[in-house]
Amino acid sequence: MRIDGRHYRSIWLAEDGWSVEIIDQTKLPHVVEIARLKTLADATHAIRAMLVRGAPLIGATAAYGLALALRERADDATMAEARAALMATRPTAVNLRWALERMARALAPLSESERPHTAHRLADEIADEDVATNRQIGVHGLKLIRKIAADKAARGGEGPVRILTHCNAGWLACVDWGTATAPIYMAHDAGLAVHVWVSETRPRNQGAAITAFELGQHGVPHTLVVDNAAGHLMQQGLVDMVLVGSDRTTAAGDVCNKIGTYLKALAARDNGVPFYVALPSSTIDQEIEAGRDVPIEERDGDEVLCVTGRGSDGALGRVAIAPRGTKARNPAFDVTPARLVSGLITERGVIGANAREIGGVADASGKPDARRGAARAKSCAK
Ligand code: MRU
């Protein structure tokens, strides 16, 4: 999508043809700074420190990270170590595992001389596919927004379709378009009136910092609200649909997404507001049935105790918002049970959040490997 009228992807090959460039998302919305990833260490740092974030972009960055590692050495041991280092960066978004397994399956049978070039080509393929996938999510989601608009008009409702979103499931969380935002951008571009309620998404404020930035750059009408306002807005009849992304959706349709998503789903159910989740099939984890088995990232309590922002002097700074010594707990994701989900908008169509329909769209290339089997056995033994 666009920044200052210029088209960007969130990750792209640099002019040297092997390193990659990203937009450093820790600086948004105040500064648009491009960072270059030249090594595996650069890639692991970018994911862990959230210069890049969002499930699909984490997957694409990991794929390039593996390619960068293999450029230096391409033997089996290096490949295994690089994979392990990337897997350890963030635990919840399953696209990370998906991308690395896909790369490893294709690279393992190749000779050391073939691997670096093929790894780069595969990473490019993963990035390009993400763009096409999100475009398709947009096409299917647009039909849904049109239907909601038509139903609203038939009931005598006026004004735009009012969509509440959480966190950032936009193009900056993917390679382009976004998952939850693709239908919104397409509706806006097609002349269908939409208005987005952007929920700020404490503690890291991805809604306020990134979604508001994206929508503003594309000219989509939006209003920022604090996370706690969502239930009230729904009660007041000011929300026509909730549309969020996912970091991992189980085979049975439980949706893991940014902390606070579950509360929005509960409020949506209580107020008869449809709650949709937009996700690529690469976010479906066929290895896990129940949402309680999704590993939930626990982040530093400092993110809860302090906020970062730009002061009136224009300088970026960090301020404390709680008494010194306060303990903070910071689970980064929660799970919305399938029963609260109205539907999943995938690149293959809109489906119900249930095992039968999910089985029909789940990624066909995702064969579990031995390592994944071992990891599962360990978590069951706990
Ligand atoms: O911690 P983050 O910023 O990586 O979390 C991102 C989200 O929770 C997104 O909603 C999710 O990854 C979907 S992105 C298309």
Side-chain angles (χ1 to χ4, degrees), residues 25 50 52-58 90 93 95 134 166-174 178-180 201 204 206 210 244-248 256-259 261 278-280 283 297 299 332-333:
Q25 299 192 25
M50 293 179 69
V52 292
R53 35 136 316 271
L57 179 56
I58 290 171
R90 293 195 70 191
N95 304 60
N134 290 326
H166 187 56
C167 193
N168 171 258
W171 72 267
L172 282 159
C174 303
T179 55
T201 319
R204 286 188 68 99
Q206 291 96 325
I210 304 177
V244 297
S246 174
D247 290 85
R248 189 185 300 228
C256 180
N257 192 46
K258 182 51 57 191
I259 193 81
T261 304
L279 76 167
T283 299
E297 180 177 15
R299 295 187 60 85
F333 299 93

Side-chain angles (χ1 to χ4, degrees), residues 66-351:
L66 187 57
L68 289 170
L70 296 181
R71 193 167 185 274
E72 284 170 26
R73 267 177 86 90
D75 55 283
D76 287 353
T78 304
M79 193 152 88
E81 278 162 27
R83 230 177 121 183
L86 287 158
M87 269 306 290
T89 51
R90 293 195 70 191
T92 302
V94 76
N95 304 60
L96 175 61
R97 184 184 79 195
W98 172 86
L100 289 173
E101 286 185 355
R102 176 168 162 173
M103 298 278 286
R105 269 198 309 277
L107 295 170
L110 302 184
S111 68
E112 286 182 31
S113 62
E114 290 170 309
R115 281 177 182 169
H117 169 75
T118 309
H120 257 100
R121 190 180 50 69
L122 286 170
D124 285 345
E125 205 173 280
I126 284 173
D128 289 346
E129 252 180 52
D130 186 69
V131 180
T133 294
N134 290 326
R135 191 180 290 115
Q136 277 310 110
I137 288 174
V139 168
H140 297 301
L142 172 58
K143 287 186 219 150
L144 202 60
I145 297 177
R146 281 195 195 285
K147 177 154 184 352
I148 287 171
D151 290 350
K152 183 173 169 175
R155 289 193 309 270
E158 287 176 1
V161 177
R162 299 154 306 176
I163 302 169
L164 178 94
T165 193
H166 187 56
C167 193
N168 171 258
W171 72 267
L172 282 159
C174 303
V175 178
D176 207 348
W177 285 105
T179 55
T181 54
I184 295 171
Y185 289 131
M186 286 192 187
H188 176 77
D189 292 349
L192 189 70
V194 288
H195 173 270
V196 184
W197 294 113
V198 176
S199 132
E200 61 175 349
T201 319
R202 279 280 291 144
R204 286 188 68 99
N205 293 322
Q206 291 96 325
I210 304 177
T211 304
F213 172 78
E214 275 196 18
L215 295 174
Q217 289 287 335
H218 200 81
V220 178
H222 63 281
T223 304
L224 181 66
V225 291
V226 297
D227 297 322
N228 293 334
H232 172 73
L233 293 176
M234 291 190 231
Q235 242 174 7
Q236 296 286 306
L238 297 172
V239 181
D240 297 311
M241 82 188 285
V242 179
L243 182 48
V244 297
S246 174
D247 290 85
R248 189 185 300 228
T249 290
T250 71
D254 291 344
V255 172
C256 180
N257 192 46
K258 182 51 57 191
I259 193 81
T261 304
Y262 172 47
L263 284 177
K264 288 181 171 63
L266 285 172
R269 174 55 57 94
D270 195 43
N271 291 284
V273 175
F275 179 94
Y276 282 95
V277 180
L279 76 167
S281 51
S282 53
T283 299
I284 297 169
D285 186 353
Q286 284 287 0
E287 295 289 289
I288 290 181
E289 287 279 324
R292 68 175 169 276
D293 291 335
V294 177
I296 302 291
E297 180 177 15
E298 286 277 345
R299 295 187 60 85
D300 197 327
D302 199 53
E303 292 181 350
V304 178
L305 299 169
C306 305
V307 288
T308 303
R310 186 174 56 188
S312 51
D313 59 354
L316 293 186
R318 208 162 159 67
V319 293
I321 57 165
R324 211 183 282 274
T326 303
K327 281 197 192 127
R329 173 100 191 254
N330 189 11
F333 299 93
D334 62 24
V335 175
T336 297
R339 67 188 157 77
L340 299 178
V341 177
S342 309
L344 304 173
I345 309 172
T346 77
E347 74 272 28
R348 295 170 189 150
V350 181
I351 59 166

